[in-house]
Amino acid sequence: MKKGFFLITLILGISYNVSAQEIKNVNFVQEGEVSKLIIETDKENVFAERFHVTEDKQIILDLKNVKVSPKLLRGIDTSEFPGSTVYISGYKKPGTANDVRFAVQLRDNVRSILEPSGNKIVLNIENRFGVFSKGKIKTNDKAAQSDLVEDVVGLNVPKSNSIEDILHNLTLSGPKKYIGKRISINVRDIPVPDILNMIADTSGFNIIIDQEVAKLPNLTLTLTNVPWDQALDTVISLSKLVAQKNANILIVKTLASATKEKEEEMKLADLKDNLAPLVTRVFLINYATLVDIEKIVKDYITKNVGTIQLDERTNSLIVMDTIDAIERIKKIIETLDTQTPQIMIEAKIVEAVESYSKRIGLTKGISFGYDPVGAIQAPVGPGFSFSSAPNVTTPTALGMTIGIYKRLLNLDLNLQLMESESKGRIISTPKVVTQNKKAATITSSEQTSFRVQQPATGNQPALATFQNITADLNLTVTPQVTNDGAVNMQIALNKSAFGTRPTVDAPPNITRRNITTNVLVDNGSTVVIGGLYQTTTLETRSGIPYLRDLPLVGWLFSTPYAPDTSKNELIIFMTPRIMNQDEAGMVDRQAKSGVNSTEL
């Protein structure tokens, strides 16, 4: 078991079909304090593996020999749920034909249980550590039950109940799980070697005891019905002994003897290194900087023997050391000297504007004169007029004028009938390319000017000047590529645009929109990082009180019906793409992300 992570494998089913099965559905639900990732297939007996990557707080679920539609591999954002999961991403495992991997990002390291349920695979995840221990979920899977024990931080568990595995567990430091046969010991003032021999005879393992152990003080023990490995561990701890395992043989020494022996081994190792032949190797550094590589490699050369030199002209690292050290340094350089991932980030800013207005009614009411006593004259008129223009400020109007009609004089009215609709869309698509963990900024500016009138002073006449103002589109992104090929982006977007001018000489109005966020996106996927939708409705109407409310004729005593509606929508999309995924070793890194280590 490698330091920093643990690997637990569950094999579901007893047969492995040659023909690939198909994933029909992927779903995520929460039931109380347990989150469930449910994967439904068209057949039963799916071969699956699950392991935890504690450094990255991830659970990896691999399904072998399955087919899946790309739409089912879309990421599932679970950050809105109060549980332990944040995001679930699925993708085809690199380097394989029909293997699929699901990576579950966690807030904190918690335990999980993988269960078969007919043609479904159910990954149960604790929403907080300790849920499974309190019986929140039941399982008949012995491997899953063992998982509940092994996942406890720092608890060492024997791989089996064999003597070799139990003895190996005793030699480890930290808390342990004891599974040996139960025994009882009741002794008084007995030498430590005799107690050790009693436990060895009862348990069936061989023991070699250092002579210095006999010089330790005698012990008095009363242990009833305890595992023999716990009794042995207790005696070793009380007497401050050191245990070493060789198959089913346990070698017990005092701490002083073990320390002295270790010091002698280190001296022999140093002597061996000093006597070993030295070789010189020139490492060409292609992508990393010499200074950074030298800082790392210098900790792995043989002390007081190996040397490192830098040649900046050829960008090379010259190492002289033993053959073993050279091979170790070679693996380090091969792992670290790779291309830095380059990411092209494309943003799409869509801004849609829509306005609608209507004018219905009399613009100036009705004007006329009336002569009750004069002679009725011959009609003069009527005259009709019609005007239209595309500008809202000069709306369509239908007018009628009658000079004389019997006793009516100068009858005049203008009926306004206008409906206006406008739509517009502005799309901005800034793109920028940058290296991993390097901030990139792209800026686009638009400039205009307005008139500034300087007053007259003394003998100087009034002077008119022009002043410039700008509206900018600024995008700053800092990407970070994760081990599974996703991209974490820190984004700062500022967009300003000119509006209308209050007057001809006045500066235009400026609208500004800003967004700052941090998002995790799969390579090549698109995410909406922000949206703004505004609707404005304005309606103004005036008229003669009471009369404007009369039915049928009230419109004769009020201003035209004039509602104005405007809509403004802003949506921002972001798409990151890793341009040199193969060259930067991303494919190999994803393929072994479950192991995530290199033997040196």
Side-chain angles (χ1 to χ4, degrees):
M1 185 178 296
K2 296 187 180 300
K3 184 179 180 182
F5 68 93
F6 49 88
L7 175 65
I8 302 169
T9 304
L10 297 181
I11 303 178
L12 303 182
I14 58 176
S15 65
Y16 183 66
N17 295 331
V18 176
S19 60
Q21 304 185 39
E22 184 176 359
I23 296 177
K24 292 295 186 180
N25 190 27
V26 178
N27 194 17
F28 175 83
V29 296
Q30 274 197 350
E31 296 181 359
E33 294 184 312
V34 178
S35 297
K36 294 187 176 184
L37 174 62
I38 304 173
I39 302 174
E40 183 179 354
T41 59
D42 60 344
K43 300 177 183 178
E44 298 184 1
N45 300 330
V46 178
F47 188 89
E49 290 181 329
R50 169 191 61 95
F51 51 86
H52 291 199
V53 183
T54 56
E55 298 95 333
D56 298 333
K57 297 181 180 180
Q58 286 185 347
I59 300 174
I60 305 298
L61 176 62
D62 286 343
L63 306 181
K64 296 184 179 298
N65 198 32
V66 294
K67 297 183 296 184
V68 62
S69 172
K71 67 179 182 179
L72 295 179
L73 295 180
R74 291 180 296 183
I76 303 175
D77 186 359
T78 61
S79 58
E80 297 296 330
F81 292 90
S84 59
T85 62
V86 178
Y87 194 83
I88 300 174
S89 58
Y91 54 90
K92 288 190 175 181
K93 192 174 178 181
T96 62
N98 291 319
D99 291 357
V100 176
R101 168 169 290 180
F102 290 90
V104 182
Q105 186 65 48
L106 305 173
R107 290 188 173 92
D108 295 298
N109 282 315
V110 294
R111 296 172 294 182
S112 64
I113 295 177
L114 191 61
E115 287 188 319
S117 179
N119 64 333
K120 295 181 180 178
I121 300 171
V122 182
L123 178 63
N124 300 279
I125 306 170
E126 292 180 312
N127 285 340
R128 58 180 179 82
F129 189 85
V131 171
F132 292 160
S133 302
K134 296 182 180 181
K136 297 294 183 180
I137 189 169
K138 305 294 184 181
T139 177
N140 296 322
D141 194 332
K142 294 182 178 180
Q145 292 174 353
S146 175
D147 182 22
L148 299 185
V149 177
E150 287 197 30
D151 280 355
V152 177
V153 178
L155 182 64
N156 299 310
V157 181
K159 295 181 180 179
S160 69
N161 57 359
S162 66
I163 294 294
E164 290 81 358
D165 289 336
I166 294 177
L167 292 179
H168 174 73
N169 190 59
L170 286 174
T171 61
L172 302 176
S173 61
K176 306 175 182 65
K177 178 176 176 61
Y178 303 104
I179 62 173
K181 180 181 177 181
R182 293 184 177 274
I183 62 174
S184 298
I185 301 177
N186 189 357
V187 297
R188 180 180 295 277
D189 197 23
I190 298 295
V192 174
D194 293 345
I195 299 177
L196 295 175
N197 285 322
M198 290 171 56
I199 300 175
D201 292 341
T202 303
S203 306
F205 67 90
N206 301 314
I207 190 168
I208 300 176
I209 303 175
D210 187 29
Q211 294 180 354
E212 296 296 325
V213 178
K215 300 178 182 179
L216 297 174
N218 296 345
L219 293 179
T220 298
L221 294 177
T222 300
L223 301 175
T224 304
N225 197 27
V226 297
W228 67 262
D229 49 345
Q230 184 178 8
L232 180 59
D233 196 26
T234 301
V235 174
I236 292 175
S237 178
L238 288 175
S239 301
K240 296 182 179 179
L241 301 176
V242 177
Q244 299 174 349
K245 170 188 166 293
N246 184 7
N248 65 339
I249 301 175
L250 189 68
I251 304 172
V252 180
K253 303 176 182 179
T254 62
L255 180 59
S257 298
T259 302
K260 183 178 180 181
E261 183 178 330
K262 190 65 176 179
E263 291 176 350
E264 291 177 354
E265 290 179 358
M266 294 177 63
K267 290 180 181 179
L268 290 176
D270 292 341
L271 181 60
K272 180 181 178 181
D273 290 336
N274 291 331
L275 296 178
L278 302 180
V279 296
T280 301
R281 178 73 180 271
V282 178
F283 296 97
L284 299 177
I285 308 302
N286 296 315
Y287 306 106
T289 61
L290 284 177
V291 176
D292 293 339
I293 288 291
E294 190 265 343
K295 289 180 180 179
I296 298 173
V297 170
K298 70 179 182 180
D299 293 331
Y300 295 91
I301 65 173
T302 304
K303 188 177 181 181
N304 300 326
V305 175
T307 59
I308 299 177
Q309 291 183 343
L310 307 180
D311 183 28
E312 296 184 356
R313 186 180 65 85
T314 60
N315 207 51
S316 302
L317 198 68
I318 306 171
V319 182
M320 184 175 65
D321 209 328
T322 63
I323 296 177
D324 292 340
I326 289 293
E327 290 299 319
R328 183 168 59 246
I329 293 172
K330 176 184 176 181
K331 290 184 178 181
I332 295 174
I333 293 178
E334 288 177 350
T335 303
L336 300 182
D337 187 28
T338 57
Q339 286 190 20
T340 301
Q342 292 195 138
I343 305 99
M344 181 179 69
I345 301 168
E346 178 181 357
K348 182 171 289 186
I349 306 168
V350 180
E351 188 171 4
V353 180
E354 181 179 342
S355 63
Y356 174 81
S357 61
K358 181 185 292 186
R359 301 288 186 272
I360 299 177
L362 297 175
T363 59
K364 297 182 294 184
I366 299 177
S367 62
F368 63 89
Y370 181 73
D371 185 5
V373 295
I376 297 177
Q377 302 182 27
V380 179
F384 294 93
S385 64
F386 174 79
S387 64
S388 63
N391 196 325
V392 177
T393 58
T394 58
T396 301
L398 178 64
M400 183 179 69
T401 303
I402 299 178
I404 298 174
Y405 181 74
K406 296 184 179 180
R407 295 188 180 276
L408 292 178
L409 307 175
N410 300 324
L411 175 63
D412 186 19
L413 61 90
N414 284 306
L415 179 62
Q416 182 176 344
L417 300 172
M418 185 276 295
E419 186 175 21
S420 174
E421 183 178 4
S422 65
K423 295 181 180 180
R425 176 174 293 181
I426 303 172
I427 300 178
S428 303
T429 310
K431 295 182 181 179
V432 65
V433 177
T434 183
Q435 289 187 346
N436 186 35
K437 297 183 180 180
K438 300 293 185 181
T441 301
I442 184 170
T443 302
S444 175
S445 297
E446 181 181 357
Q447 182 174 289
T448 188
S449 60
F450 62 94
R451 184 175 181 178
V452 178
Q453 187 71 30
Q454 300 291 342
T457 57
N459 296 328
Q460 296 294 333
L463 180 64
T465 60
F466 290 88
Q467 184 172 335
N468 295 329
I469 56 173
T470 60
D472 299 328
L473 172 61
N474 185 283
L475 174 64
T476 301
V477 183
T478 304
Q480 179 180 353
V481 179
T482 63
N483 289 328
D484 60 356
V487 182
N488 182 36
M489 296 184 294
Q490 294 181 355
I491 303 171
L493 178 65
N494 302 308
K495 183 181 184 300
S496 56
F498 293 124
T500 58
R501 295 176 182 263
T503 61
V504 177
D505 294 335
N509 298 323
I510 297 180
T511 57
R512 291 184 174 87
R513 294 180 174 89
N514 305 320
I515 185 170
T516 302
T517 186
N518 192 319
V519 294
L520 179 66
V521 190
D522 288 336
N523 178 32
S525 299
T526 301
V527 63
V528 180
I529 66 170
L532 177 64
Y533 186 82
Q534 292 179 323
T535 301
T536 304
T537 302
L538 178 64
E539 182 178 343
T540 303
R541 193 176 184 186
S542 60
I544 301 174
Y546 306 113
L547 295 181
R548 73 187 187 105
D549 297 326
L550 294 175
L552 300 179
V553 296
W555 58 278
L556 297 173
F557 306 98
S558 63
T559 57
Y561 172 65
D564 289 327
T565 302
S566 62
K567 299 179 182 179
N568 191 301
E569 186 174 8
L570 175 67
I571 303 177
I572 302 170
F573 302 89
M574 298 292 293
T575 305
R577 291 183 176 87
I578 302 175
M579 302 174 63
N580 58 340
Q581 192 169 2
D582 294 339
E583 294 80 357
M586 297 300 301
V587 174
D588 295 337
R589 195 180 308 173
Q590 294 173 29
K592 59 183 180 181
S593 61
V595 178
N596 205 20
S597 64
T598 301
E599 288 288 348
L600 302 178

